[in-house]
Amino acid sequence: MRTYVAGQEAHDDMEFAELALGIDVDLFRGPLEPETSTERAAREDAARDIIADLRETAEAGDEIAGWDALYADALTHTVPFLRAARGHRPATGEAA
């Protein structure tokens, strides 16, 4: 079965959410692959600008933009599981 949103095919759950909500998860959460500090700063700057625009639109009366702003802001406080697991180092010593 194929899933389409606004005439575009969504190949997985993340793509469906991106098409349905208009929110690029990687922009707000960060990519699964490592990024340079310059790339990260640029991505975070763009994310802040987009969230500010969404909030401004919400204050003008667009309720959907308000929900999108909340979702995007929540994504900025998450870390992808794979990236978090890659940085995890098993404990050693007595407590381990």
Side-chain angles (χ1 to χ4, degrees):
M1 184 168 94
R2 295 181 181 187
T3 304
Y4 290 88
V5 177
Q8 293 186 317
E9 185 177 0
H11 297 284
D12 57 30
D13 292 344
M14 292 301 289
E15 192 171 340
F16 177 80
E18 182 178 333
L19 290 170
L21 299 173
I23 300 285
D24 179 2
V25 173
D26 284 344
L27 175 66
F28 298 98
R29 177 201 61 199
L32 295 176
E33 303 84 26
E35 60 185 343
T36 66
S37 59
T38 305
E39 291 171 332
R40 182 177 184 196
R43 179 183 54 76
E44 289 175 346
D45 190 43
R48 277 191 297 274
D49 288 346
I50 292 169
I51 291 171
D53 288 345
L54 287 169
R55 287 181 177 151
E56 186 177 302
T57 304
E59 289 172 5
D62 186 343
E63 184 179 354
I64 300 300
W67 287 108
D68 286 347
L70 290 172
Y71 177 60
D73 187 52
L75 286 171
T76 65
H77 301 290
T78 62
V79 176
F81 177 74
L82 293 175
R83 189 171 70 208
R86 226 179 282 130
H88 176 71
R89 305 225 190 291
T92 59
E94 290 181 34

